[in-house]
Amino acid sequence: QVQLVESGGGLVQAGGSLRLSCAVSGRAISASSMGWFRQAPGKEREFVARLHWSGSTNYADSVKGRFTISRDNAKNTVYLQMNSLKPEDTAVYYCGHNVRYNSRSAILYEADYWGQGTQVTVSS
């Protein structure tokens, strides 16, 4: 049984920064690939970032250079540091556990477990 709890969302002004946290229980993340996804109203969930268990990272083109995914194995927590936020970043952000690339998936990545999501709103 794996549970993920996101936190850190909120309302920020364009150009500002926000740090999201995803606390994981039930399984160590040190050997797991973790990821962040987001979903805006009326749109499909989209991939944002992934931290492979080996340490490599992947980012959506829309967030490259602005977002950074990281982890703290001791705290069993994954983070998403978001800088230079734009209004188009507004969405519910979800944390995923055991994130794998899947060409058959509509969003190209799959996860075994998801958090409940945390709202990020960026004002103009």
Side-chain angles (χ1 to χ4, degrees):
Q1 184 68 37
V2 178
Q3 294 183 335
L4 296 79
V5 180
E6 300 99 333
S7 62
L11 175 64
V12 297
Q13 193 174 25
S17 299
L18 204 60
R19 186 197 191 212
L20 305 183
S21 298
C22 174
V24 181
S25 62
R27 192 166 301 175
I29 66 171
S30 60
S32 302
S33 297
M34 304 295 297
W36 287 96
F37 301 77
R38 66 188 183 186
Q39 186 170 21
K43 295 186 177 181
E44 299 294 326
R45 185 174 299 190
E46 66 175 340
F47 166 77
V48 174
R50 184 184 75 156
L51 176 58
H52 193 261
W53 64 265
S54 66
S56 63
T57 58
N58 302 95
Y59 295 95
D61 289 340
S62 59
V63 306
K64 284 183 178 178
R66 300 188 298 119
F67 291 11
T68 302
I69 186 171
S70 62
R71 74 207 305 156
D72 186 331
N73 291 333
K75 296 180 179 179
N76 219 43
T77 300
V78 62
Y79 305 95
L80 184 68
Q81 179 66 46
M82 304 184 293
N83 299 324
S84 301
L85 284 163
K86 304 175 181 179
E88 50 262 46
D89 294 320
T90 296
V92 176
Y93 283 71
Y94 298 91
C95 180
H97 178 271
N98 192 23
V99 175
R100 310 173 301 280
Y101 179 81
N102 186 351
S103 61
R104 297 183 180 182
S105 172
I107 62 173
L108 300 181
Y109 288 88
E110 293 182 345
D112 289 345
Y113 301 94
W114 298 94
Q116 82 289 345
T118 184
Q119 177 70 49
V120 172
T121 302
V122 184
S123 62
S124 301

